[in-house]
Amino acid sequence: SAVISQKPSRDICQRGTSLTIQCQVDSQVTMMFWYRQQPGQSLTLIATANQGSEATYESGFVIDKFPISRPNLTFSTLTVSNMSPEDSSIYLCSASRAGGWTDTQYFGPGTRLTVL
Amino acid sequence: SQQGEEDPQALSIQEGENATMNCSYKTSINNLQWYRQNSGRGLVHLILIRSNEREKHSGRLRVTLDTSKKSSSLLITASRAADTASYFCATDDTDKLIFGTGTRLQVFP
């Protein structure tokens, strides 16, 4: 298994500002992912964080709004830029050791973001 | 949307009863996974069943998979109050996991 921590655990932000969420894994992993979960809803994949290269974004998510970094095999950040109330969600980081998306993913505890 | 659908959306039972949740999906899969999410927390992996498997057990959990019907079920036997959570199925789709809509399970002591 893998233990994943996220910082901050929650935040309340003003419209128009940006927030960077950090994700730390306790050991090297192959794949890291960022998800958004709106209140009472399922998870939607934002992007796959690629080590040493640009993240791969899903339809509806763009780099200017959600820049992602992954400088090494245990750490990634997601920035939510120019926030609006519609960005209020839980943001979850996950990691997979082996084959990637088809194998078990380990999740962080999430970051609960409220935008006023 | 290729998102899987789960039913029921919500389920309330008494401790000791069994809970059954169903998941339907739309595309061919390599495997199907079930996850649990306690309120306001991250997801915890419960079990993975591969497309060539029909049934899998883990403790009080029993998962079945019917690829001809594109459906799976999760059975929790002898439920406990601590089983109260949301349960999601997830299927692989080319290069990502697709999570179902989830079932909210409430177990009353």
Side-chain angles (χ1 to χ4, degrees):
Chain A
S1 66
V3 177
I4 301 177
S5 59
Q6 281 184 238
K7 288 194 296 187
S9 58
R10 59 178 63 224
D11 209 340
I12 300 173
C13 300
Q14 296 297 318
R15 181 196 298 261
T17 62
S18 298
L19 176 72
T20 295
I21 303 168
Q22 298 181 7
C23 176
Q24 179 73 56
V25 190
D26 67 340
S27 56
Q28 292 186 354
V29 291
T30 306
M31 311 282 285
M32 294 183 74
F33 307 91
W34 286 97
Y35 290 86
R36 182 174 72 185
Q37 185 179 28
Q38 294 178 311
Q41 302 296 313
S42 186
L43 282 73
T44 300
L45 180 64
I46 298 172
T48 302
N50 300 310
Q51 194 265 327
S53 65
E54 193 171 286
T56 304
Y57 289 85
E58 296 300 306
S59 175
F61 298 97
V62 296
I63 188 171
D64 290 346
K65 175 67 176 177
F66 297 100
I68 287 170
S69 77
R70 189 179 172 192
N72 56 51
L73 292 175
T74 64
F75 185 78
S76 178
T77 66
L78 168 74
T79 299
V80 186
S81 303
N82 188 25
M83 289 183 285
S84 67
E86 292 71 36
D87 295 319
S88 296
S89 283
I90 297 173
Y91 291 86
L92 294 149
C93 167
S94 75
S96 176
R97 288 195 182 286
W101 52 87
T102 60
D103 286 286
T104 300
Q105 289 190 20
Y106 302 96
F107 282 82
T111 296
R112 185 180 295 272
L113 171 62
T114 301
V115 184
L116 303 178
Chain B
S1 166
Q2 298 179 24
Q3 188 175 49
E5 292 189 6
E6 295 181 58
D7 79 275
Q9 290 187 0
L11 179 61
S12 295
I13 59 174
Q14 295 290 131
E15 259 189 329
E17 293 180 341
N18 296 340
T20 300
M21 290 159 264
N22 303 296
C23 168
S24 60
Y25 57 92
K26 298 180 181 179
T27 61
S28 298
I29 61 171
N30 293 308
N31 63 54
L32 184 144
Q33 305 180 42
W34 285 90
Y35 289 82
R36 183 186 74 223
Q37 184 179 36
N38 290 87
S39 180
R41 306 295 296 275
L43 277 72
V44 174
H45 179 261
L46 295 176
I47 198 164
L48 181 153
I49 185 166
R50 301 200 183 277
S51 60
N52 61 354
E53 298 175 309
R54 291 297 167 258
E55 187 171 312
K56 202 162 184 179
H57 296 256
S58 176
R60 293 183 296 112
L61 306 181
R62 172 177 168 256
V63 168
T64 62
L65 179 64
D66 187 335
T67 53
S68 67
K69 295 181 179 178
K70 292 187 168 57
S71 67
S72 175
S73 67
L74 170 67
L75 168 68
I76 303 174
T77 60
S79 64
R80 305 167 182 169
D83 295 327
T84 294
S86 292
Y87 292 82
F88 296 91
C89 66
T91 55
D92 59 295
D93 174 32
T94 308
D95 58 354
K96 56 183 176 283
L97 280 184
I98 302 292
F99 283 84
T101 51
T103 294
R104 292 186 305 279
L105 173 65
Q106 175 81 51
V107 181
F108 292 99

